Amino acid sequence: NKTLRCCAACAKTNLKEYKMKYTALPIFVVITLIWTSCHPIICGWDRGYKQLDELPSKDSIVGLYELTSKSKEFLYAKGFNKNCQLIIQDSEKYVLKNLPDFVIDSYGETNGKSLNENGRWFVCCIDSEGCMIELEGIQVMPVARKEKGRISILMTIGDGEECNGIIFEKKQK
């Protein structure tokens, strides 16, 4: 009987240790995955912007877009100091002036050049995806705005998991 009691006491102790050890394991695994994941949970460059679910009108997207001050600072830190602009025209054409080449490089690498691009643009709003704009030959990007702010176009730089990007805000008339 003494042996049974001892084993029962050991079993209870082992059960407590087992529960503590294996209850902490899932928490440890989740924290490890978050810590070592390639993609951060939150990217800072687009903080505060909410992707639009629908556009008020075609006129709301047409116009001159300029980089936010934070985007200009980011580009300046990368050695780029030209004024970059995006013009969305009513004729469904766009003109992109002085875009750093690394912005559209899939790895975010540069040759130190600025690009002047033009082409067609398309906007679509899909319930599950929100509103996106495609600048033909450049990329497909979210159309967003800060709360009660101007319409903005969020352009990811290189691999999205690197969490780099720039924001073009529509200039007020």
Side-chain angles (χ1 to χ4, degrees):
N1 258 348
K2 280 187 176 181
T3 310
L4 276 174
R5 281 189 207 149
C6 180
C7 288
C10 288
K12 283 183 183 177
T13 304
N14 287 339
L15 183 62
K16 285 180 185 176
E17 289 174 7
Y18 177 84
K19 282 182 178 178
M20 283 181 18
K21 184 177 180 181
Y22 290 100
T23 301
L25 183 64
I27 295 169
F28 173 75
V29 169
V30 169
I31 290 171
T32 302
L33 286 174
I34 290 171
W35 187 265
T36 60
S37 172
C38 293
H39 191 279
I41 292 176
I42 299 171
C43 291
W45 71 269
D46 60 353
R47 184 172 293 132
Y49 287 86
K50 183 180 182 308
Q51 189 170 354
L52 299 181
D53 294 324
E54 59 184 50
L55 290 174
S57 69
K58 180 179 175 182
D59 291 340
S60 66
I61 198 92
V62 171
L64 172 65
Y65 289 76
E66 293 184 333
L67 291 173
T68 62
S69 58
K70 189 175 176 182
S71 295
K72 287 177 185 176
E73 289 170 12
F74 173 79
L75 293 179
Y76 185 77
K78 295 279 189 185
F80 186 82
N81 60 4
K82 293 184 179 176
N83 186 27
C84 185
Q85 291 183 328
L86 170 62
I87 303 165
I88 303 288
Q89 299 171 340
D90 192 33
S91 62
E92 296 181 355
K93 303 264 186 203
Y94 74 87
V95 177
L96 200 45
K97 296 179 180 179
N98 295 321
L99 183 70
D101 61 351
F102 67 87
V103 172
I104 60 173
D105 183 84
S106 56
Y107 298 105
E109 295 177 359
T110 185
N111 292 323
K113 297 179 180 176
S114 63
L115 307 171
N116 292 309
E117 299 286 332
N118 57 59
R120 294 179 50 84
W121 62 269
F122 311 91
V123 172
C124 68
C125 298
I126 302 171
D127 291 338
S128 62
E129 299 293 322
C131 294
M132 304 290 280
I133 185 168
E134 177 182 356
L135 300 182
E136 193 176 58
I138 303 293
Q139 63 179 250
V140 178
M141 301 158 279
V143 178
R145 73 169 47 159
K146 280 193 172 184
E147 189 175 328
K148 297 182 183 177
R150 294 179 271 165
I151 289 181
S152 302
I153 297 173
L154 312 178
M155 185 178 275
T156 301
I157 296 175
D159 182 354
E161 292 182 352
E162 296 293 322
C163 275
N164 291 318
I166 55 175
I167 300 171
F168 288 95
E169 274 189 343
K170 187 174 179 185
K171 188 173 179 178
Q172 293 176 332
K173 294 180 182 180

